[in-house]
Amino acid sequence: MTWVMAALITGGWIMWALHAAVLQQRIRGLERRNRALVAAVEAGRRCERTGVWTRAAWSNEARPLLEECQDPAVLFVDLDQFKQVNDTWGHSAGDAVLAVQAERITEVLGPTAVVGRFAGDEFVAALPELADPGVLDRLVEALAEPIQLADGGWLAPSASVGVAEVSQIRRVTRTQPSLPQWVGAADAALYQAKLLRGRWVRYEPWMRTAQIPRQQTPRQYRPALPSPPRIVMPVRAASAQS
């Protein structure tokens, strides 16, 4: 009986040691990743607020996908009514929203995506291919999940997404598109998505000629006047009031 107990104890120690070794390996991997991220931020290649690629760095990282993949896709993401977040709750709240939404984009699209911050409230993501169109629904849904602010309140955001696949652009250009043409097609699709708000729209060739400059948008194409993003009361506070 004694040898059985000794074997069990020895086996337990071995399993614990293996688990500890795996955990240490993961910790070292995270440390290397953090060091690389800090170095990239210091070099101006990563956005300090969100950790994704800056606009210039994103172009360099995304270009190989355009040149080497058969039918890559680019997503242009715009956070709806983001200016009102800054104006109403301050820039610290805006920075928190940017960080959360950037993390959601990266998580939903996965490790093969090249994600960058293009402008204040605009993100771009390049994919080797759009193998699962359902990822677009999951992305829009994820970007509409409530975000808790520092004061305990909850912001219910939304985002609009324009999607452009190289195969669709070739139908117009008859040649391999350049990176600006690729992004421009996604921007044209985003323009249509913004008219609906909180949706994704795939690029179609007619969108390049149908796109109207926003300052010249006729009344019938103009979206409704924006309203501030709604606040969802924290669950605990809401239950206390009922």
Side-chain angles (χ1 to χ4, degrees):
M1 195 69 179
T2 304
W3 69 267
V4 173
M5 292 297 297
L8 290 174
I9 293 173
T10 303
W13 276 105
I14 292 174
M15 291 299 296
W16 180 87
L18 289 173
H19 178 73
V22 171
L23 184 60
Q24 288 178 352
Q25 185 176 6
R26 289 180 179 176
I27 291 174
R28 286 195 293 269
L30 289 173
E31 289 175 345
R32 287 194 297 269
R33 180 180 175 184
N34 288 338
R35 286 195 297 270
L37 178 59
V38 170
V41 168
E42 293 175 350
R45 289 174 51 78
R46 291 279 188 177
C47 171
E48 185 174 0
R49 289 186 178 89
T50 64
V52 299
W53 297 110
T54 61
R55 179 169 181 165
W58 179 87
S59 298
N60 292 331
E61 296 292 327
R63 187 170 283 106
L65 295 183
L66 179 63
E67 296 173 349
E68 298 170 9
C69 298
Q70 184 175 357
D71 191 18
V74 65
L75 281 59
F76 212 133
V77 182
D78 184 275
L79 306 185
D80 297 328
Q81 303 175 6
F82 179 75
K83 183 179 184 300
Q84 294 190 26
V85 175
N86 281 330
D87 293 345
T88 306
W89 294 286
H91 288 278
S92 59
D95 289 348
V97 170
L98 287 173
V100 170
Q101 298 294 59
E103 183 177 357
R104 289 173 174 175
I105 294 170
T106 302
E107 181 178 351
V108 171
L109 297 183
T112 61
V114 179
V115 181
R117 184 180 175 199
F118 222 59
D121 59 350
E122 294 177 336
F123 294 87
V124 284
L127 296 169
E129 62 176 343
L130 194 59
D132 177 17
V135 74
L136 301 175
D137 291 325
R138 294 193 295 272
L139 177 62
V140 170
E141 290 170 3
L143 295 176
E145 288 291 323
I147 298 175
Q148 187 171 22
L149 303 177
D151 62 1
W154 291 81
L155 173 68
S158 67
S160 302
V161 182
V163 186
E165 294 164 278
V166 165
S167 58
Q168 290 291 86
I169 306 173
R170 287 198 196 104
R171 290 170 55 186
V172 177
T173 63
R174 306 298 180 185
T175 59
Q176 180 75 355
S178 64
L179 187 66
Q181 287 175 319
W182 195 27
V183 175
D187 186 39
L190 173 63
Y191 178 81
Q192 301 298 323
K194 291 291 288 183
L195 298 179
L196 304 171
R197 190 171 295 160
R199 309 286 181 86
W200 64 266
V201 171
R202 180 183 266 115
Y203 171 77
E204 295 289 345
W206 62 265
M207 292 179 182
R208 294 298 279 172
T209 56
Q211 186 173 3
I212 303 170
R214 299 186 184 185
Q215 65 272 21
Q216 300 176 15
T217 305
R219 184 178 301 275
Q220 62 267 30
Y221 290 107
R222 190 173 298 155
L225 291 175
S227 56
R230 60 189 176 91
I231 288 292
V232 181
M233 292 297 293
V235 175
R236 187 172 300 175
S239 61
Q241 291 177 358
S242 58

